[in-house]
Amino acid sequence: MENWGQNILESSFDKNELSVRVRVESLLSSVVFLKENPNCLFQSLMDIAGVDYPERERRFDVVYHFLSLKHNLRFRLKVGVFENEIIPSVTEFYPSANWLEREVWDMFGIPFGGHPDLRRILTDYGFENHPLRKDFPLTGFLEVRYDETQKRVIYEPVKLDQAYRDFDFLSPWEGPLTSATQERKD
């Protein structure tokens, strides 16, 4: 691909690493370019991560971390994804993406089209929702316990007293928030 640069939406260089954002439509061609171009040769896919930005229209970022042993370089490729948008799997080009995409699916619910075995990898098969989404409650939806009478593990909806849901966000060094301290912070 001679004009791969036209796929770049934005780029930055920080801590000796180049980060580039591309559209979902150009993800696979970008991955092939990064792997096969003699000036790149990013033969190792080190990690795939998801990031949740609930306030954005494209709610999620899927971030690919590549390593070129030939050139001793690291590269970060980012793709913005709408909620429920299917993003193409890169397992065809990087087998290491198999479990990494499963992890992103499990934690964020971002589906990868063409993945050979997209199922949960970190949570159990009966788990509902995706725990690293920012709208996922810290207490979760279900609690699990072993029931001696039934001699099995049972799932129940989380039942917490309201007192456990009140959190003290005040700093012990700053003291209680008053109108005077509020004005200093504003």
Side-chain angles (χ1 to χ4, degrees):
M1 176 186 287
E2 305 246 344
N3 296 323
W4 179 71
Q6 68 187 11
N7 294 326
I8 297 174
L9 298 174
E10 65 181 56
S11 64
S12 63
F13 190 77
D14 186 34
K15 297 179 180 151
N16 208 24
E17 289 185 22
L18 180 62
S19 296
V20 168
R21 178 179 299 278
V22 297
R23 291 184 178 85
V24 171
E25 301 81 31
S26 59
L27 173 64
L28 292 181
S29 62
S30 298
V31 166
V32 170
F33 175 82
L34 292 171
K35 185 172 185 176
E36 296 178 355
N37 185 291
N39 294 323
C40 299
L41 296 176
F42 289 97
Q43 298 289 324
S44 297
L45 174 63
M46 304 304 294
D47 194 14
I48 302 175
V51 185
D52 187 5
Y53 299 100
E55 70 282 355
R56 289 193 342 198
E57 185 179 3
R58 291 182 183 265
R59 178 176 175 171
F60 300 102
D61 271 355
V62 178
V63 184
Y64 299 82
H65 295 99
F66 296 99
L67 173 66
S68 171
L69 294 173
K70 174 77 175 175
H71 300 296
N72 191 23
L73 293 172
R74 294 180 182 270
F75 188 88
R76 184 177 300 123
L77 184 68
K78 297 179 181 179
V79 178
V81 182
F82 293 106
E83 187 160 359
N84 298 324
E85 181 178 11
I86 297 173
I87 181 170
S89 173
V90 300
T91 54
E92 177 183 345
F93 309 104
Y94 293 97
S96 63
N98 189 327
W99 284 19
L100 299 172
E101 289 177 349
R102 286 179 61 188
E103 183 176 338
V104 171
W105 157 249
D106 195 7
M107 295 291 109
F108 293 95
I110 301 170
F112 291 87
H115 189 281
D117 185 22
L118 191 61
R119 59 186 161 101
R120 293 191 179 271
I121 191 169
L122 296 175
T123 58
D124 67 21
Y125 297 114
F127 194 86
E128 293 182 16
N129 216 315
H130 306 281
L132 288 185
R133 288 178 172 225
K134 289 188 177 171
D135 56 359
F136 187 82
L138 293 176
T139 57
F141 296 108
L142 295 174
E143 58 186 0
V144 179
R145 67 177 178 86
Y146 182 77
D147 189 301
E148 277 296 327
T149 59
Q150 298 180 27
K151 300 292 184 197
R152 65 180 183 96
V153 175
I154 59 172
Y155 294 82
E156 296 175 331
V158 173
K159 293 177 270 183
L160 290 176
D161 292 333
Q162 192 60 37
Y164 290 109
R165 295 181 184 262
D166 291 332
F167 299 100
D168 180 12
F169 295 109
L170 299 177
S171 167
W173 296 278
E174 295 177 356
L177 195 60
T178 64
S179 60
T181 58
Q182 181 64 36
E183 288 176 10
R184 279 186 286 160
K185 291 183 178 184
D186 293 339

